[in-house]
């Protein structure tokens, strides 16, 4: 009986660190950008599961029943084995989420980072007594800024250490005061509007 759970156990142990990383870095974006996560994950995940079923039905590949739970939902094929196996569907859905969840974090963070930079630019312009600062005078954002912004939302001390090792050209990546608290509480209107 325990041997039949081996596939699910391996899936869980392999992807647990990936899920932990996605949840740590992306937890502040999950509620506010849930559509992005679902739309990025569900269609490709369902597609890979469907293609797996076709591949098994066409006998392009087969999975040994020895290490599978035996839970299958589609009608069995000629050998009596269901085509949609829980274990294999879990592998495809979890691995798809590992990739698309990371992409959703980057997209959501980029939206929030751009909104924060807009607010900062507006504040800088009003403080300087100018209605609109020229784009050429602004500090350019880089991928390093975005990476620090994402990391700062999950682990501020680690982001500060990374910034000390490889100093960015500005402090634009730091979360605005209270922004981390607001993100955990369901998000801001600016993030909802971005969707």
């Amino acid at each position: 009986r325990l041997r039949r759970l081996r596939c699910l156990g391996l899936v869980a142990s392999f992807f647990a660190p990936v899920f932990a990383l996605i949840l740590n870095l992306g937890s502040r974006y999950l509620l506010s950008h849930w559509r992005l996560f679902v739309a990025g994950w569900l269609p490709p995940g369902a597609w890979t599961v469907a293609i797996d079923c076709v591949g098994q039905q066409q006998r392009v590949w087969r999975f040994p029943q020895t290490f599978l739970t035996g839970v299958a939902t589609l009608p069995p094929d000629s050998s009596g084995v269901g085509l949609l196996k829980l274990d294999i569907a879990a592998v495809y859905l979890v691995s798809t989420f590992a990739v698309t969840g990371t992409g959703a974090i980057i997209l959501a963070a980029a939206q929030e980072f751009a909104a924060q930079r807009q607010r900062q630019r507006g504040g800088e312009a009003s403080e300087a007594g100018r209605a609109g600062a020229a784009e050429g005078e602004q500090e350019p954002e880089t991928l390093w800024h975005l990476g620090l912004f994402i990391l700062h939302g999950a682990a501020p001390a680690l982001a500060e250490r990374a910034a000390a090792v490889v100093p960015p050209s500005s402090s634009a990546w730091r979360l605005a005061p209270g922004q981390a608290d607001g993100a955990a509480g369901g998000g801001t209107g600016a993030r909802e509007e971005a969707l």
Side-chain angles (χ1 to χ4, degrees), residues 25-190:
L25 293 176
S27 62
R28 58 185 297 245
Y29 307 112
L30 285 175
L31 290 178
S32 61
H33 292 82
W34 67 270
R35 289 183 199 98
L36 184 63
F37 282 87
V38 171
W41 168 66
L42 202 52
W47 178 253
T48 56
V49 169
I51 292 302
D52 171 66
C53 290
V54 170
Q56 289 183 68
Q57 188 267 334
Q58 297 293 318
R59 302 207 184 284
V60 175
W61 55 76
R62 299 200 48 81
F63 297 99
Q65 293 300 306
T66 309
F67 301 111
L68 301 179
T69 60
V71 177
T73 58
L74 288 181
D77 61 6
S78 59
S79 65
V81 177
L83 297 177
L84 180 57
K85 297 171 182 67
L86 170 69
D87 314 74
I88 305 307
V91 169
Y92 288 122
L93 291 173
V94 168
S95 60
T96 302
F97 182 74
V99 174
T100 60
T102 305
I105 289 170
I106 293 168
L107 290 174
Q111 289 175 349
E112 287 192 14
F113 184 58
Q116 176 174 308
R117 286 299 282 162
Q118 280 301 112
R119 287 190 301 273
Q120 287 174 345
R121 286 179 179 154
E124 291 167 3
S126 62
E127 285 176 18
R130 294 179 270 138
E135 280 298 315
E137 297 174 18
Q138 299 298 323
E139 194 66 44
E141 294 88 9
T142 64
L143 288 177
W144 181 235
H145 287 99
L146 179 60
L148 288 173
F149 180 79
I150 294 170
L151 186 58
H152 194 261
L158 184 59
E160 296 290 343
R161 283 196 299 261
V165 173
V166 181
S169 58
S170 74
S171 63
W173 55 272
R174 286 189 175 88
L175 291 175
Q179 188 173 357
D181 299 332
T188 63

